[in-house]
Amino acid sequence: MSDNPDGVRADPWTTIDDLWAWLQADQPVGGGEGLLLRMLKLSEEVGEVAEAVIGATGQNPRKGVTHTWEDVEAELCDVVITAMVALRTLNPEAREVFGRHLARVADRSLGA
């Protein structure tokens, strides 16, 4: 359920928690192996970004243009969501872990 009529939830981390709980409830492989598979899902999603970029630029002469730049945007969003769920899988305090890390990257890159 969304927080506004546009379908955008106000807090992405609440949605990530909901997605994490949904995945945990129907996890076919658990334990350490399940954790590794959750991390590997990132590689799959990054591959889909590459496929969409190749398709948007028509780089495969056999297939031609098969995707749009909107497809690339959607695939990039899937990477972000998958990474957030993976982080939540590793640490229930993912929101705080990410916030601290983002602040360090910003300080290092943008200065105080």
Side-chain angles (χ1 to χ4, degrees):
M1 177 168 294
S2 64
D3 294 340
N4 69 44
D6 296 330
V8 177
R9 290 179 176 221
D11 178 16
W13 284 105
T14 299
T15 304
I16 294 302
D17 285 340
D18 292 345
L19 289 169
W20 174 83
W22 172 70
L23 288 167
Q24 290 296 108
D26 193 27
Q27 188 177 18
V29 178
E33 189 177 354
L35 176 65
L36 291 174
L37 291 168
R38 180 82 39 93
M39 301 304 132
L40 285 175
K41 180 72 173 154
L42 276 168
S43 294
E44 177 191 1
E45 295 298 341
V46 169
E48 291 176 9
V49 170
E51 179 183 11
V53 169
I54 290 167
T57 57
Q59 290 302 300
N60 184 334
R62 185 174 53 81
K63 294 181 179 179
V65 175
T66 58
H67 291 74
T68 66
W69 287 105
E70 288 79 18
D71 294 328
V72 176
E73 291 171 1
E75 296 300 345
L76 285 168
C77 289
D78 286 348
V79 169
V80 172
I81 293 164
T82 302
M84 291 172 79
V85 171
L87 180 58
R88 171 60 182 85
T89 300
L90 283 176
N91 189 329
E93 303 301 322
R95 174 193 312 252
E96 291 78 15
V97 170
F98 181 77
R100 287 191 304 269
H101 188 77
L102 181 60
R104 283 193 301 271
V105 170
D107 287 347
R108 181 178 68 228
S109 302
L110 305 173

